[in-house]
Amino acid sequence: MPPRKRAHPAERRAEILAAALDLFAERGYRGTSLAAVADRIGLTQQGVLHYFPSKDALLTEVLRRRDEIDEQTFAGAAREDALATMERLVAYNATRPGLVQSFTVLSADSVTEDHPAKEFFVERYRRMREMATVPAAGLTAEQTAALLIAVMDGLQLQWLLDPSVDMVEIFHGFAALLRNNQNP
């Protein structure tokens, strides 16, 4: 095999993130090794560790990249109709169970002390609550946002455990319920 052309560090990081994103989506976090990420792009495991100090750090960056992709995919829509945007996001997530599984596991793990992804999730949920504010009868917009996120994450967990749970249809029904109960 000819020697690999040396890439710019930012390009190499992007290449590693893209490979890890694909592998985590295909195999989940636990089913993906750093060696598999390295093999996917023709690097050694040490080469990956040069850019990301650990598998946890790589996953945190993959999740951050996943959020960037989601934000680009749904750019502008969130400000127009938070409920419709979240409905589209739930449907989109149904097409990538490996990433949903990685997200679910890592978000739950992040509540432990000194977890490397804790700050990522604290900030992510804060941003999500700001984006998902929807007025509903009897609740503040902030309370509704927290409830929407809890329903979305809870449905994802149930869907991962039992794929017969139709998270897309159930979330759609929940969104319709909120629309019918919005404050005037």
Side-chain angles (χ1 to χ4, degrees), residues 50-63:
H50 174 75
Y51 295 93
F52 300 94
S54 68
K55 185 178 172 187
D56 282 346
L58 176 59
L59 182 57
T60 299
E61 287 303 313
V62 164
L63 290 170

Side-chain angles (χ1 to χ4, degrees), residues 105-183:
V105 170
L106 192 63
S107 66
D109 284 348
S110 75
V111 302
T112 59
E113 193 172 322
D114 298 326
H115 192 279
K118 185 172 189 164
E119 288 307 312
F120 167 81
F121 281 104
V122 167
E123 178 59 23
R124 182 184 190 282
Y125 278 112
R126 185 195 61 73
R127 281 191 335 269
M128 288 286 296
R129 286 188 305 271
E130 287 175 1
M131 185 275 304
T133 56
V134 175
L139 298 170
T140 66
E142 293 77 17
Q143 290 170 328
T144 306
L147 183 60
L148 273 167
I149 295 164
V151 169
M152 185 168 70
D153 286 358
L155 284 171
Q156 287 181 161
L157 176 61
Q158 291 180 60
W159 171 71
L160 289 167
L161 292 169
D162 179 0
S164 72
V165 172
D166 188 343
M167 71 174 174
V168 175
E169 186 61 31
I170 295 168
F171 192 84
H172 177 69
F174 183 69
L177 189 95
L178 284 176
R179 281 187 187 95
N180 292 333
N181 290 301
Q182 285 187 329
N183 291 329

Side-chain angles (χ1 to χ4, degrees), residues 20-78:
L21 183 70
D22 288 345
L23 286 166
F24 290 149
E26 292 168 17
R27 305 176 186 177
Y29 176 68
R30 288 198 171 94
T32 302
S33 66
L34 285 176
V37 174
D39 286 346
R40 176 75 54 110
I41 57 173
L43 282 178
T44 64
Q45 187 170 328
Q46 277 308 116
V48 172
L49 289 170
H50 174 75
Y51 295 93
F52 300 94
S54 68
K55 185 178 172 187
D56 282 346
L58 176 59
L59 182 57
T60 299
E61 287 303 313
V62 164
L63 290 170
R64 194 170 274 120
R65 179 66 187 133
R66 181 199 126 187
D67 280 355
E68 288 171 5
I69 291 168
D70 287 353
E71 287 169 14
Q72 291 167 0
T73 302
F74 301 105

